[in-house]
Amino acid sequence: MASSSPTPPSLQLPPSSPEHTPFSSKSEPLSPRSPPSPPRPAISLQQPTNKKGPSKSAKLFRRFRAVFRSFPIITPTCKIPVSLHGNRLHDGHIHGGTRMTGTLFGHRKARINLAIQENPSSLPILLLELTISTGKLLQDMGMGLVRIALECEKKPNEKTKIVDEPIWTMYCNGRKSGYGVKREPTDEDLIVMQILRVISMGAGVLPDDGTEHPDGELTYMRSHFERVIGSKDSETYYMMNPDGNSGPELTIFFVRI
Protein backbone atom coordinates (compact mmCIF):
# COMPACT_ATOMS: atom_id res chain seq x y z
CA MET A 1 0.00 0.00 0.00
CA ALA A 2 1.52 3.27 -1.16
CA SER A 3 2.17 5.73 1.53
CA SER A 4 0.66 9.15 1.05
CA SER A 5 3.06 12.08 0.79
CA PRO A 6 2.89 14.63 3.49
CA THR A 7 0.69 17.57 2.76
CA PRO A 8 2.82 20.74 2.32
CA PRO A 9 2.00 23.48 4.68
CA SER A 10 -0.25 26.13 3.20
CA LEU A 11 1.33 29.43 2.20
CA GLN A 12 -0.12 32.37 3.98
CA LEU A 13 0.55 36.07 3.29
CA PRO A 14 0.95 38.39 6.20
CA PRO A 15 -2.06 40.57 6.81
CA SER A 16 -1.94 43.84 4.96
CA SER A 17 -1.63 47.02 6.93
CA PRO A 18 -1.64 50.74 6.06
CA GLU A 19 2.16 50.76 6.38
CA HIS A 20 2.79 47.55 4.41
CA THR A 21 0.83 46.73 1.29
CA PRO A 22 1.84 44.34 -1.49
CA PHE A 23 2.00 47.01 -4.20
CA SER A 24 2.72 50.32 -2.50
CA SER A 25 5.51 51.86 -0.55
CA LYS A 26 5.33 54.29 2.29
CA SER A 27 3.16 57.25 1.30
CA GLU A 28 4.84 60.57 0.49
CA PRO A 29 3.27 63.97 1.13
CA LEU A 30 1.88 65.53 -2.04
CA SER A 31 3.40 68.80 -3.21
CA PRO A 32 0.95 71.71 -3.26
CA ARG A 33 -0.55 72.45 -6.65
CA SER A 34 -0.18 75.88 -8.21
CA PRO A 35 -3.45 77.79 -8.49
CA PRO A 36 -5.10 77.41 -11.90
CA SER A 37 -4.77 80.29 -14.32
CA PRO A 38 -7.89 82.41 -14.74
CA PRO A 39 -9.92 81.43 -17.81
CA ARG A 40 -9.41 83.54 -20.89
CA PRO A 41 -12.40 85.67 -21.86
CA ALA A 42 -14.33 84.67 -24.95
CA ILE A 43 -13.76 87.08 -27.83
CA SER A 44 -17.02 88.80 -28.78
CA LEU A 45 -15.60 91.76 -30.72
CA GLN A 46 -17.50 92.65 -33.87
CA GLN A 47 -16.14 92.98 -37.38
CA PRO A 48 -15.65 96.62 -38.45
CA THR A 49 -17.97 97.83 -41.18
CA ASN A 50 -15.18 98.27 -43.72
CA LYS A 51 -13.30 95.07 -42.85
CA LYS A 52 -11.82 93.25 -45.79
CA GLY A 53 -9.69 90.14 -46.13
CA PRO A 54 -6.17 89.84 -44.74
CA SER A 55 -3.81 92.57 -45.88
CA LYS A 56 -1.38 91.80 -48.69
CA SER A 57 1.36 93.00 -46.37
CA ALA A 58 0.85 90.05 -43.98
CA LYS A 59 3.42 87.83 -45.69
CA LEU A 60 5.95 90.63 -45.86
CA PHE A 61 5.37 91.38 -42.19
CA ARG A 62 5.95 87.77 -41.17
CA ARG A 63 9.28 87.79 -43.00
CA PHE A 64 10.29 91.10 -41.50
CA ARG A 65 9.08 90.49 -37.95
CA ALA A 66 11.97 88.22 -36.98
CA VAL A 67 14.43 90.97 -37.93
CA PHE A 68 12.32 93.70 -36.33
CA ARG A 69 12.24 91.86 -33.01
CA SER A 70 16.03 92.05 -32.85
CA PHE A 71 16.04 95.86 -33.03
CA PRO A 72 16.73 97.59 -29.70
CA ILE A 73 14.02 99.68 -28.07
CA ILE A 74 14.77 103.32 -28.79
CA THR A 75 14.39 105.81 -25.96
CA PRO A 76 13.72 109.12 -27.72
CA THR A 77 14.47 112.37 -25.98
CA CYS A 78 11.18 114.09 -26.85
CA LYS A 79 12.24 117.26 -25.01
CA ILE A 80 11.09 119.88 -27.50
CA PRO A 81 9.49 122.64 -25.40
CA VAL A 82 5.72 122.43 -25.69
CA SER A 83 3.27 124.65 -23.87
CA LEU A 84 0.72 122.70 -21.87
CA HIS A 85 -2.06 125.06 -22.92
CA GLY A 86 -0.88 126.88 -26.03
CA ASN A 87 -1.02 125.66 -29.63
CA ARG A 88 -3.89 123.31 -28.88
CA LEU A 89 -7.37 123.04 -30.22
CA HIS A 90 -9.83 124.88 -28.01
CA ASP A 91 -12.83 122.67 -28.67
CA GLY A 92 -11.00 119.30 -28.65
CA HIS A 93 -12.44 118.40 -32.04
CA ILE A 94 -10.95 118.19 -35.51
CA HIS A 95 -13.63 119.34 -37.95
CA GLY A 96 -14.23 116.96 -40.81
CA GLY A 97 -12.63 114.01 -39.03
CA THR A 98 -14.08 110.64 -38.09
CA ARG A 99 -14.14 109.69 -34.43
CA MET A 100 -12.40 106.41 -33.63
CA THR A 101 -11.24 104.58 -30.50
CA GLY A 102 -7.50 104.40 -29.95
CA THR A 103 -5.65 102.29 -27.37
CA LEU A 104 -1.98 102.44 -26.41
CA PHE A 105 -0.98 99.30 -24.55
CA GLY A 106 1.98 97.09 -23.68
CA HIS A 107 4.26 95.98 -20.88
CA ARG A 108 6.11 98.93 -19.37
CA LYS A 109 9.59 97.86 -20.56
CA ALA A 110 8.43 96.39 -23.88
CA ARG A 111 7.42 97.99 -27.16
CA ILE A 112 4.17 99.90 -27.17
CA ASN A 113 1.24 98.98 -29.42
CA LEU A 114 -1.41 101.24 -30.90
CA ALA A 115 -4.80 99.76 -31.78
CA ILE A 116 -7.39 101.77 -33.72
CA GLN A 117 -11.02 100.59 -33.62
CA GLU A 118 -14.27 101.95 -34.97
CA ASN A 119 -15.64 101.60 -31.43
CA PRO A 120 -14.57 99.76 -28.23
CA SER A 121 -16.60 96.67 -29.21
CA SER A 122 -15.13 96.16 -32.69
CA LEU A 123 -12.03 94.39 -33.92
CA PRO A 124 -9.01 96.64 -34.61
CA ILE A 125 -8.78 98.10 -38.11
CA LEU A 126 -5.17 99.12 -37.48
CA LEU A 127 -2.56 97.70 -35.10
CA LEU A 128 0.94 99.16 -34.93
CA GLU A 129 3.99 98.10 -32.94
CA LEU A 130 6.49 100.92 -32.29
CA THR A 131 10.13 100.77 -31.18
CA ILE A 132 9.42 102.89 -28.10
CA SER A 133 8.90 101.39 -24.66
CA THR A 134 5.41 101.73 -23.23
CA GLY A 135 6.53 103.40 -20.02
CA LYS A 136 8.67 106.00 -21.86
CA LEU A 137 5.97 107.09 -24.30
CA LEU A 138 3.30 107.38 -21.62
CA GLN A 139 5.72 109.37 -19.48
CA ASP A 140 6.48 111.77 -22.34
CA MET A 141 2.76 112.20 -23.03
CA GLY A 142 2.28 113.22 -19.41
CA MET A 143 4.85 115.98 -19.87
CA GLY A 144 3.31 117.57 -22.95
CA LEU A 145 2.23 117.19 -26.54
CA VAL A 146 3.85 114.29 -28.45
CA ARG A 147 3.89 114.12 -32.24
CA ILE A 148 4.77 110.87 -33.96
CA ALA A 149 5.39 110.92 -37.70
CA LEU A 150 5.45 107.64 -39.60
CA GLU A 151 7.01 107.95 -43.04
CA CYS A 152 7.43 105.50 -45.90
CA GLU A 153 8.55 105.74 -49.48
CA LYS A 154 6.01 106.61 -52.14
CA LYS A 155 6.08 104.25 -55.11
CA PRO A 156 4.94 104.95 -58.69
CA ASN A 157 1.29 104.01 -59.34
CA GLU A 158 0.74 103.41 -55.63
CA LYS A 159 -2.50 101.51 -54.97
CA THR A 160 -1.94 100.34 -51.38
CA LYS A 161 -3.88 102.23 -48.72
CA ILE A 162 -1.56 104.28 -46.61
CA VAL A 163 -2.47 102.50 -43.36
CA ASP A 164 -1.77 99.14 -45.03
CA GLU A 165 1.93 99.88 -45.51
CA PRO A 166 3.91 97.20 -43.60
CA ILE A 167 6.81 99.27 -42.18
CA TRP A 168 7.48 102.90 -41.35
CA THR A 169 10.37 105.10 -40.32
CA MET A 170 9.31 106.77 -37.08
CA TYR A 171 10.02 110.28 -35.78
CA CYS A 172 9.07 111.47 -32.29
CA ASN A 173 8.80 115.27 -32.00
CA GLY A 174 11.10 115.62 -34.99
CA ARG A 175 13.75 113.16 -33.79
CA LYS A 176 14.26 109.84 -35.58
CA SER A 177 13.24 107.15 -33.09
CA GLY A 178 13.25 103.80 -34.85
CA TYR A 179 10.49 102.04 -36.73
CA GLY A 180 6.82 101.24 -36.72
CA VAL A 181 5.35 98.00 -38.06
CA LYS A 182 1.78 97.14 -38.89
CA ARG A 183 0.81 93.64 -37.82
CA GLU A 184 -2.21 91.39 -37.47
CA PRO A 185 -3.73 91.11 -33.96
CA THR A 186 -2.56 88.14 -31.89
CA ASP A 187 -4.71 86.25 -29.40
CA GLU A 188 -3.14 88.30 -26.60
CA ASP A 189 -4.02 91.56 -28.41
CA LEU A 190 -7.63 90.45 -28.83
CA ILE A 191 -7.87 89.52 -25.15
CA VAL A 192 -6.74 93.06 -24.23
CA MET A 193 -9.36 94.54 -26.56
CA GLN A 194 -12.00 92.22 -25.13
CA ILE A 195 -11.22 93.21 -21.54
CA LEU A 196 -11.34 96.92 -22.47
CA ARG A 197 -14.51 96.74 -24.56
CA VAL A 198 -16.56 98.40 -21.80
CA ILE A 199 -14.09 101.30 -21.48
CA SER A 200 -14.29 104.26 -23.86
CA MET A 201 -11.66 106.43 -22.13
CA GLY A 202 -9.19 105.83 -19.35
CA ALA A 203 -5.78 104.49 -18.32
CA GLY A 204 -4.56 101.85 -15.91
CA VAL A 205 -2.99 98.43 -15.43
CA LEU A 206 -4.60 95.22 -16.69
CA PRO A 207 -4.78 92.17 -14.40
CA ASP A 208 -2.29 89.40 -15.06
CA ASP A 209 -2.35 85.64 -14.56
CA GLY A 210 -0.55 85.82 -11.20
CA THR A 211 2.97 85.52 -12.63
CA GLU A 212 5.48 88.35 -12.68
CA HIS A 213 6.29 89.43 -16.25
CA PRO A 214 9.94 90.33 -16.90
CA ASP A 215 8.90 93.46 -18.85
CA GLY A 216 6.69 94.82 -16.08
CA GLU A 217 2.98 95.46 -15.81
CA LEU A 218 0.63 95.51 -18.79
CA THR A 219 -0.55 99.11 -18.96
CA TYR A 220 -2.98 100.85 -21.28
CA MET A 221 -4.32 104.27 -22.22
CA ARG A 222 -7.53 104.57 -24.20
CA SER A 223 -9.10 107.68 -25.70
CA HIS A 224 -11.08 108.99 -28.66
CA PHE A 225 -9.10 109.78 -31.80
CA GLU A 226 -10.10 111.93 -34.74
CA ARG A 227 -9.08 110.43 -38.05
CA VAL A 228 -8.44 112.99 -40.78
CA ILE A 229 -7.61 111.83 -44.33
CA GLY A 230 -5.65 114.49 -46.19
CA SER A 231 -5.01 112.48 -49.35
CA LYS A 232 -4.15 108.94 -50.39
CA ASP A 233 -0.61 109.69 -49.15
CA SER A 234 -1.39 111.36 -45.83
CA GLU A 235 -3.58 110.47 -42.86
CA THR A 236 -3.58 111.83 -39.30
CA TYR A 237 -4.91 110.56 -35.97
CA TYR A 238 -5.44 113.13 -33.21
CA MET A 239 -5.94 111.88 -29.67
CA MET A 240 -8.73 113.83 -27.98
CA ASN A 241 -8.15 114.83 -24.38
CA PRO A 242 -11.25 114.38 -22.18
CA ASP A 243 -10.44 117.75 -20.61
CA GLY A 244 -12.61 120.23 -22.46
CA ASN A 245 -9.98 122.98 -22.18
CA SER A 246 -7.21 120.97 -23.82
CA GLY A 247 -6.57 119.49 -27.21
CA PRO A 248 -4.87 116.24 -28.19
CA GLU A 249 -1.75 115.12 -26.32
CA LEU A 250 -0.74 112.68 -29.05
CA THR A 251 -0.83 113.17 -32.80
CA ILE A 252 0.18 110.45 -35.25
CA PHE A 253 0.91 111.36 -38.87
CA PHE A 254 1.11 108.80 -41.68
CA VAL A 255 2.95 110.20 -44.70
CA ARG A 256 4.21 108.73 -47.95
CA ILE A 257 7.05 110.79 -49.40
Side-chain angles (χ1 to χ4, degrees), residues 101-213:
T101 296
T103 308
L104 295 162
F105 67 97
H107 293 277
R108 289 189 183 275
K109 298 179 183 179
R111 294 182 176 91
I112 195 165
N113 304 282
L114 170 65
I116 300 294
Q117 302 164 272
E118 289 185 349
N119 58 70
S121 298
S122 67
L123 291 166
I125 62 174
L126 175 63
L127 182 62
L128 292 176
E129 183 176 339
L130 309 177
T131 51
I132 301 179
S133 69
T134 304
K136 179 61 178 175
L137 182 59
L138 296 182
Q139 179 184 7
D140 290 339
M141 290 175 59
M143 297 173 60
L145 180 62
V146 175
R147 292 183 175 93
I148 293 178
L150 298 170
E151 297 183 358
C152 70
E153 183 180 357
K154 183 179 180 180
K155 301 175 183 178
N157 302 319
E158 186 66 69
K159 296 182 180 181
T160 303
K161 289 185 178 181
I162 189 168
V163 294
D164 287 338
E165 293 286 353
I167 182 171
W168 307 81
T169 301
M170 181 174 60
Y171 297 84
C172 179
N173 283 355
R175 187 183 298 271
K176 189 174 180 179
S177 304
Y179 297 89
V181 170
K182 179 182 178 181
R183 62 180 178 81
E184 296 297 324
T186 63
D187 291 341
E188 287 73 18
D189 298 326
L190 295 179
I191 289 174
V192 172
M193 298 295 102
Q194 180 69 24
I195 294 174
L196 297 177
R197 72 190 185 284
V198 296
I199 299 175
S200 58
M201 298 178 118
V205 177
L206 292 177
D208 54 27
D209 57 1
T211 59
E212 184 176 351
H213 197 280

